C-alpha cells in the first residue's frame, strides 16, 4: 500500500498544473509516449536471487535440511497465567468526550474487549480450532517457515485439486483464511461450483506468527516471494495458483514476476497500482468529467472522486503507522511486545478502519459488525504468543529501500493471468484501466458488492466465488 501513497502524493502536485496548457499537449505527448513504451516492453522476469537469513554465518559444508516437519500449536498454563496477570494490571485511561475512533482505539471500548478477553475468550478452544488443519514447518534460507496445508477431504472420480498458495498481510495472519478454507476445499458442501476444488497452502510470512524472523537486515517481499516459491517446489508443486491481499498481494505479484512459468494465475483482493505514469495522470484529470474518454467506468468514478478527499487526505489520516514501521519499528515494538492490551488496540484499530473508513464514527469501531471477537482476538494471540509484532513491523522498513523507484519489478509488467477483486471499502481503488499498466493479462476484474481490506475474513464467500470464477475463466481460455 505504500507505493500508492507515494504516487498519490505525486499525483496531487501534478493536479495543480494549469489544465488549459497541459491537456492538449498531454494528449499528443502521451500518445507518442505510450506507443514508445508499449514497443519497448519485452517479456522478462525478475531474478529469483538467493539469500540466507539465519543467525551468524551461513554454514557452508552441510546442505539445508529440507524435511517438512508436522507442527502442532501448543500452549502452556504459564503463558496463559502471564497473559492474565498483564491484562489484570492494565492502566487504562479515558478517551476524549465524543471522540469515537478518531483518536485511535476508544479506550473505554478497549476495556470491554479486554474484559471479554480475560473472562470469556477461550484460547485453549481457539488453539484446538487452529490445530484442526495440519501445520508444518520446514527450513528455507536458514529460517523455520510455518504453513498450513489443507487438502480436500473428498475428491470425486477424475477430479483434481488445484494447488493454491494464499498469503496474508499485516496485521493479519494465516488465520484470516480459516473461514474461506472450507469453501475452497469442499465447495460442493457450501453451494459453490463443485468442480473447482483447491488444495490450499497458507504460509506465515517470516517474522509473522509461527515463521521465524530474519536475523539479518534487508528481508523484503522479494525474499518472502522466493522463499514461498521454494516452499511450493519443495512440496512438489511445479505449477500453482496464487492469491493475496495487503503484503500478500505484493509477495504473490513478485512471485509471478520471478517465476511466471510456475504461476497458473494470480488472484488479488488488493491490486497495487503501477507508478503513476503520464496516462494515469491524464485520466485522473479528465476522468471525473469524461470518464468514458479515459476508460474509467461510472463505478470507478464513484470510488475515486473526490480524489483528494478519498485518496490523499484519507490515506494521510490512516498511514501514520506505516511511517513509524518503515523507520523505527523496534521502538514501538518494545511497548507492543510487552503489553497485550497495547498490542490488541494497535492491531484491532486496523480491523475497524480498514474494514470501513466510516467505522471511525462509531463508538465501538464497528468491530463486531463484520467479525466476532473470538476471531479478532485469535489473530491478536498469534502475534502475542509468538512475540512477533516487532519483526512483523520491520517488514515495512525492509520494503522501503531508499532506491525503491529502482526495484526490479517497477518497470516490469505482470504477464500471468490475473484476477482482481475490487472491494468497495479497500484503502485505495485500482480501476482496471490503471491496473492494466502493471497487470498485462487481466482475466477477470470484479467490482465486489461489499467488503474491505480483510476480504478473506470479512467476506469469505464473495472472495471464494470470485477466485472460482477467475480460475474457471483462466482454464476455459
Ligand atoms: C467508547 O465506547 C463505549 C462503548 O463501548 C461508549 O459507551 C463510549 O461512549 C465510547 N467513547 C467515546 C469517546 O466514543
Amino acid at each position: 500500500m505504500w507505493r500508492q501513497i507515494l504516487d498519490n502524493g505525486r499525483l496531487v502536485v501534478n493536479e495543480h498544473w494549469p489544465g488549459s496548457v497541459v491537456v492538449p499537449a498531454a494528449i499528443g505527448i502521451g500518445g507518442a509516449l505510450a506507443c514508445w513504451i508499449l514497443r519497448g516492453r519485452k517479456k522478462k522476469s525478475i531474478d529469483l536471487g538467493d539469500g540466507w537469513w539465519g543467525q551468524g554465518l551461513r554454514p557452508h559444508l552441510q546442505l539445508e535440511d529440507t524435511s517438512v516437519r508436522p507442527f502442532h500449536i501448543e500452549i502452556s498454563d504459564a503463558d496463559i497465567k502471564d497473559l492474565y496477570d498483564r491484562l489484570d494490571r492494565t492502566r487504562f485511561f479515558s478517551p476524549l468526550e465524543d471522540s469515537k475512533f478518531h483518536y485511535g482505539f476508544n479506550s473505554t471500548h478497549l476495556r470491554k474487549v479486554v474484559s471479554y478477553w480475560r473472562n470469556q475468550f477461550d484460547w485453549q478452544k481457539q488453539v484446538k480450532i487452529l490445530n484442526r488443519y495440519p501445520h508444518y514447518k520446514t527450513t528455507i534460507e536458514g529460517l523455520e517457515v510455518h504453513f498450513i496445508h489443507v487438502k480436500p477431504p473428498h475428491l470425486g472420480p477424475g477430479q483434481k485439486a488445484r494447488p493454491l498458495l494464499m498469503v496474508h498481510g499485516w496485521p493479519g495472519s494465516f488465520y484470516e483464511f480459516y473461514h474461506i478454507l472450507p469453501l475452497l476445499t469442499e465447495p460442493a458442501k457450501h453451494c459453490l461450483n463443485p468442480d473447482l476444488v483447491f488444495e490450499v497452502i497458507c504460509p506465515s510470512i517470516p517474522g509473522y506468527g509461527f515463521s521465524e524472523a530474519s536475523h539479518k537486515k534487508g528481508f523484503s517481499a522479494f525474499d518472502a516471494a522466493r522463499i514461498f516459491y521454494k516452499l511450493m517446489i519443495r512440496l512438489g508443486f511445479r505449477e500453482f495458483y496464487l492469491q493475496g491481499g495487503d503484503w500478500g498481494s505484493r509477495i504473490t505479484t513478485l512471485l509471478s514476476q520471478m517465476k511466471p512459468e510456475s504461476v497458473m494465475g494470480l488472484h488479488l483482493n488488493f491490486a497495487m497500482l503501477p507508478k503513476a505514469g503520464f496516462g494515469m495522470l491524464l485520466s485522473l484529470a479528465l476522468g471525473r468529467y469524461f470518464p468514458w474518454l479515459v476508460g474509467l467506468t461510472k463505478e470507478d468514478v464513484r470510488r475515486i472522486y473526490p480524489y483528494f478527499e478519498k485518496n490523499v487526505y484519507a490515506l494521510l489520516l490512516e498511514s501514520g503507522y506505516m511511517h513509524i514501521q518503515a523507520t523505527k519499528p523496534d521502538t514501538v515494538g518494545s511497548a507492543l511486545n510487552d503489553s497485550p492490551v497495547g498490542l490488541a488496540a494497535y492491531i484491532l484499530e486496523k480491523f475497524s478502519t480498514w474494514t470501513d473508513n466510516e467505522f471511525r464514527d462509531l463508538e465501538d469501531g464497528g468491530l463486531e459488525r463484520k467479525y466476532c471477537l473470538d476471531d479478532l482476538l485469535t489473530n491478536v494471540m498469534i502475534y502475542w504468543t509468538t512475540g512477533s509484532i516487532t519483526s512483523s513491523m520491520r517488514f515495512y522498513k525492509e520494503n522501503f529501500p531508499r532506491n525503491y523507484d529502482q526495484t526490479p519489478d517497477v518497470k516490469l509488467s505482470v504477464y500471468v493471468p490475473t484476477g482482481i477483486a475490487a472491494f468497495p471499502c479497500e484503502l485505495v481503488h485500482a480501476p482496471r484501466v490503471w491496473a492494466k499498466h502493471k497487470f498485462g493479462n487481466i482475466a477477470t476484474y470484479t467490482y465486489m458488492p461489499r467488503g474491505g481490506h480483510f476480504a478473506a475474513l470479512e467476506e469469505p464467500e464473495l472472495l471464494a466465488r470470485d477466485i472460482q470464477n477467475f480460475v474457471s475463466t483462466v482454464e476455459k481460455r
Side-chain angles (χ1 to χ4, degrees):
M1 67 224 80
W2 40 277
R3 165 164 308 152
Q4 275 156 8
I5 291 162
L6 293 186
D7 284 346
N8 288 338
R10 250 176 249 142
L11 292 178
V12 183
V13 173
N14 285 298
E15 254 187 329
H16 297 305
W17 290 354
S20 55
V21 186
V22 173
V23 171
I27 293 173
I29 302 173
L33 214 64
C35 296
W36 179 72
I37 291 170
L38 286 175
R39 215 154 23 93
R41 257 185 204 168
K42 270 186 267 133
K43 287 215 174 197
K44 278 189 296 188
S45 58
I46 307 177
D47 269 351
L48 192 60
D50 201 5
W52 198 80
W53 312 96
Q55 230 158 0
L57 293 176
R58 182 178 201 153
H60 282 296
L61 291 172
Q62 82 248 43
L63 289 173
E64 191 155 71
D65 171 8
T66 57
S67 64
V68 173
R69 306 171 288 276
F71 167 74
H72 211 67
I73 301 178
E74 277 166 25
I75 47 175
S76 74
D77 292 343
D79 285 346
I80 294 188
K81 185 176 176 310
D82 176 76
L83 172 72
Y84 286 173
D85 285 349
R86 289 170 193 260
L87 295 180
D88 289 340
R89 283 185 296 113
T90 307
R91 287 205 304 168
F92 288 103
F93 51 88
S94 302
L96 292 173
E97 289 171 7
D98 213 23
S99 58
K100 314 221 162 75
F101 263 56
H102 287 274
Y103 282 65
F105 206 105
N106 162 0
S107 56
T108 307
H109 189 65
L110 190 56
R111 279 174 203 256
K112 291 196 179 170
V113 173
V114 171
S115 158
Y116 181 86
W117 196 359
R118 174 68 176 84
N119 302 307
Q120 277 143 288
F121 179 78
D122 185 349
W123 181 227
Q124 302 266 14
K125 183 182 133 212
Q126 293 307 116
V127 166
K128 275 202 199 105
I129 294 175
L130 289 176
N131 281 328
R132 246 181 229 162
Y133 292 123
H135 293 247
Y136 302 91
K137 282 189 177 183
T138 188
T139 311
I140 306 178
E141 300 190 4
L143 298 177
E144 292 238 287
V145 178
H146 160 260
F147 62 96
I148 55 172
H149 185 168
V150 187
K151 295 180 184 171
H154 327 278
L155 280 176
Q159 221 178 17
K160 67 175 166 63
R162 293 149 180 86
L164 170 67
L165 176 79
M166 300 186 90
V167 184
H168 69 88
W170 187 91
S173 60
F174 64 94
Y175 184 62
E176 284 177 74
F177 301 118
Y178 266 52
H179 296 302
I180 200 173
L181 282 165
L183 310 182
L184 295 171
T185 56
E186 297 173 90
K189 221 169 127 182
H190 298 93
C191 305
L192 271 77
N193 182 346
D195 296 326
L196 286 166
V197 187
F198 295 92
E199 167 172 357
V200 190
I201 295 90
C202 307
S204 298
I205 301 171
Y208 287 67
F210 299 99
S211 278
E212 187 177 356
S214 172
H215 298 266
K216 309 259 185 287
K217 290 196 279 184
F219 184 90
S220 75
F222 285 85
D223 306 300
R226 180 182 62 249
I227 283 179
F228 291 161
Y229 171 71
K230 290 180 179 177
L231 171 66
M232 292 305 273
I233 295 296
R234 189 170 292 179
L235 295 177
F237 301 113
R238 303 236 133 247
E239 287 192 312
F240 41 84
Y241 285 98
L242 299 172
Q243 205 284 329
D246 197 85
W247 283 125
S249 158
R250 172 108 176 109
I251 293 169
T252 52
T253 301
L254 287 172
L255 206 168
S256 309
Q257 291 175 297
M258 289 170 168
K259 285 285 170 188
E261 66 275 22
S262 287
V263 178
M264 296 191 278
L266 167 70
H267 185 278
L268 304 172
N269 57 291
F270 179 69
M272 299 202 183
L273 287 174
K275 219 177 115 185
F278 209 75
M280 262 173 71
L281 290 179
L282 190 69
S283 87
L284 188 65
L286 297 178
R288 185 159 193 184
Y289 307 102
F290 311 104
W292 42 272
L293 196 65
V294 289
L296 292 175
T297 66
K298 272 193 194 148
E299 185 58 26
D300 291 328
V301 171
R302 222 170 289 141
R303 291 185 187 194
I304 344 181
Y305 299 101
Y307 187 76
F308 188 80
E309 200 182 302
K310 288 207 173 146
N311 293 272
V312 183
Y313 189 59
L315 279 183
L316 276 178
L317 283 183
E318 287 304 320
S319 56
Y321 83 99
M322 185 175 67
H323 202 133
I324 291 177
Q325 296 179 183
T327 52
K328 308 285 178 81
D330 285 31
T331 307
V332 178
S334 307
L336 301 182
N337 195 52
D338 195 52
S339 160
V341 176
L343 179 70
Y346 198 68
I347 291 178
L348 297 185
E349 179 219 286
K350 301 299 176 228
F351 278 84
S352 160
T353 327
W354 292 357
T355 297
D356 189 333
N357 216 4
E358 289 176 8
F359 284 0
R360 279 180 308 193
D361 300 330
L362 303 174
E363 291 179 338
D364 62 357
L367 278 174
E368 288 171 82
R369 292 197 176 190
K370 290 302 195 81
Y371 313 107
C372 64
L373 281 181
D374 281 344
D375 282 341
L376 292 174
L377 288 170
T378 297
N379 181 58
V380 171
M381 284 297 278
I382 288 170
Y383 281 86
W384 175 255
T385 53
T386 57
S388 60
I389 188 66
T390 310
S391 46
S392 77
M393 294 195 294
R394 286 182 192 146
F395 202 53
Y396 285 77
K397 187 169 174 75
E398 309 298 15
N399 279 295
F400 275 110
R402 293 214 4 229
N403 57 347
Y404 102 97
D405 258 9
Q406 284 131 46
T407 52
D409 61 308
V410 169
K411 293 204 185 75
L412 188 69
S413 266
V414 176
Y415 295 105
V416 304
T418 305
I420 296 176
F423 284 86
C425 293
E426 186 52 277
L427 304 177
V428 181
H429 175 61
R432 183 179 186 137
V433 66
W434 295 356
K436 266 185 348 199
H437 292 288
K438 179 163 184 76
F439 301 95
N441 184 1
I442 297 180
T444 61
Y445 182 101
T446 320
Y447 294 104
M448 306 303 282
R450 57 178 187 277
H453 188 69
F454 301 100
L457 192 62
E458 186 191 345
E459 294 289 351
E461 191 181 327
L462 290 182
L463 186 63
R465 286 190 191 279
D466 199 66
I467 294 170
Q468 279 201 334
N469 175 45
F470 164 66
V471 169
S472 84
T473 307
V474 169
E475 294 184 359
K476 267 185 217 135
R477 277 177 167 188

